Amino acid sequence: NLESCFIDTIHSFCGNILRERPIEAMIDPSFGMMDDSQDTIFKEKIWVEYIKDMRSKDQGAFARLESMGIDPNLLKRAFEDLSEHQDVDFRRRRLSKPPLNAATNKLRQEIDKLRAIMPTQVPKNGWGDVQKRVFDAYKIIKYVKPNDLMELELLRLFERITSLKITQYKWGDKAKIAMEILDEIKSISAQDIQAVLGKWREYCHYEAMGFALSCAKYYHSIRHEKFTLNFQDLLLKTRDLLRDNPEVRSYFANRYSYLLVDEFQDTDPIQAEIIFYLTGENIYEKQWQKLRPKPGSLFVVGDPKQSIYRFRRADISIYNLVGELIEQSGGEILILRTNFRTVAPISKYLNPIFEKEFSKDVAPYQASYTPMESHKTGKDDHGVYCLQVKPRFSRGNRIDTNETIKEDAKEIALYIKKAMATGKYRPKDFLILTRLKSNMNIYADALRQRDIPFQISGASSLGECIEIGELSKLFRFLSEPNDNILFVAILRGMFFGLTDQDLYKAKQEHKYIGLYTAKEQKEEDAKSVYDMARERILEYRKWTGQMLP
């Protein structure tokens, strides 16, 4: 009965349901759908329109935000989150404005102390971090009008300063005093500044959220006026349709008698509701958690450990709840342990590591640990080995990362070469994974030097390949043969290998280096202009029918 199956995404599935019963869903039968990329562009457009409209019609809203030190443009991310989670009831509460002056006065006293012991001349290698911070604070105090915004700017300057240190030689004989004052400022930051700024942000929350919520409502209203649904609309409209219409729920439950949901760890709460409304025994029950799936009607597959990616609001607590409801309905949970990719020695090495990271017990917000059982036994010498590479140091006992990576690449290449020499392995049996693509060329060079064939995967590595770079120069020159600089670069490159001495000698003898001689160059330029003009005339004649000389 394969032809009777519906096999597609959850959003396409919901779209089909809504198109079949649009009246009960209270939507226009001719509604359109927008994917994520279209929705992103639409949100961008709506945000720009809303900001423009508010500036002309409600300047008071902007004034209130600016009085709190909030740039309206920084609320765009909040608007996007609110518009995406339209089913969530976001709460906000108006709070009284907290006073800032108590913390500001304490801070200013310590800043004055530091400023009084500042060196009169710029120290060697410039001012230190603390000194720069004092200068910035003094500018704020001196040039910014005293008000809430001035105090906010000053407090924010010293909100996170735990890592600030006094560089002794930059303070001379006052270094010890500067350290004591800095410790006092850090104490003020921890006890006063961070606390009052936290209360200030709570005070700002009401106004900021109100602005973003208003824009989100505007976004929804414009989209609904255009009869256009995004992915979240499809889920919400389908959920509401099935929840509030027993007849519709019964109809689709009979239509789709079995549901198989793959990648269930990526299922958000709305999708969980939909599948329970379609498989639940009681078509009149509106609370989906109280529904029990009909025997044999629901089959879900998922890996709770992957729910950490939170794809489309995926929630491990919902994942665990659905598992409990299925068990309560007489269903069964099967743990898939067999790994068909990894050989046994690697599993044996990795299992104890992951066992420490994952809990053995099922927790509301943490996936439980399941050991990996490899289907492949592996060869005798398969396993996990560690190649020890000592870090290379440059001047000042600083690790020279580039040289250390070269040593690492060398050790890996030697290991592969040795393994291949036994005759049991081929180059394609090895895969080198690097943390960053930027170092691929170093590993490639190490393999090349030992005649080990290899392929590089990763676009950013192409520009670092010497051969690709030389080919690029050659192709550019072939498209621009009059470019003498490129011509010299090609001659000096790997394809011709001329030295600077060779090029100097040629220049001395011929007075000219280029693909053409100076005379041929002029003739070629003239010929090119003539051919181009002739081509344009013939083209014009073709389209106009005119006979031109």
Side-chain angles (χ1 to χ4, degrees), residues 6 8-20 22 27-42 219 223-238 312:
F6 179 90
D8 212 324
T9 64
I10 182 68
H11 300 102
S12 180
F13 178 67
C14 291
N16 277 15
I17 289 178
L18 293 174
R19 290 208 183 278
E20 190 164 348
I27 57 176
D28 190 285
S30 62
F31 70 88
M33 293 190 293
M34 60 170 66
D35 58 27
D36 277 342
S37 60
Q38 293 170 326
D39 194 23
T40 299
I41 295 171
F42 185 69
Y219 156 76
R223 199 176 69 256
H224 292 156
E225 285 177 9
K226 297 177 180 292
F227 308 121
T228 305
L229 305 182
N230 61 14
F231 280 172
Q232 195 66 10
D233 289 327
L234 293 172
L235 297 178
L236 290 171
K237 294 290 184 184
T238 302
R312 285 198 178 281

Side-chain angles (χ1 to χ4, degrees), residues 339 341-354 369 371-376 384:
N339 185 308
R341 297 176 179 176
T342 307
V343 293
I346 296 180
S347 298
K348 186 178 179 181
Y349 175 82
L350 292 175
N351 279 335
I353 296 174
F354 286 107
Y369 169 71
M372 186 166 54
E373 300 172 359
S374 293
H375 180 70
K376 298 178 181 178
V384 178

Side-chain angles (χ1 to χ4, degrees), residues 409-427:
K410 173 186 166 186
E411 291 294 329
I412 290 175
L414 288 172
Y415 178 87
I416 294 174
K417 189 75 173 179
K418 183 178 178 181
M420 290 172 56
T422 64
K424 296 167 63 177
Y425 298 98
R426 297 167 295 175

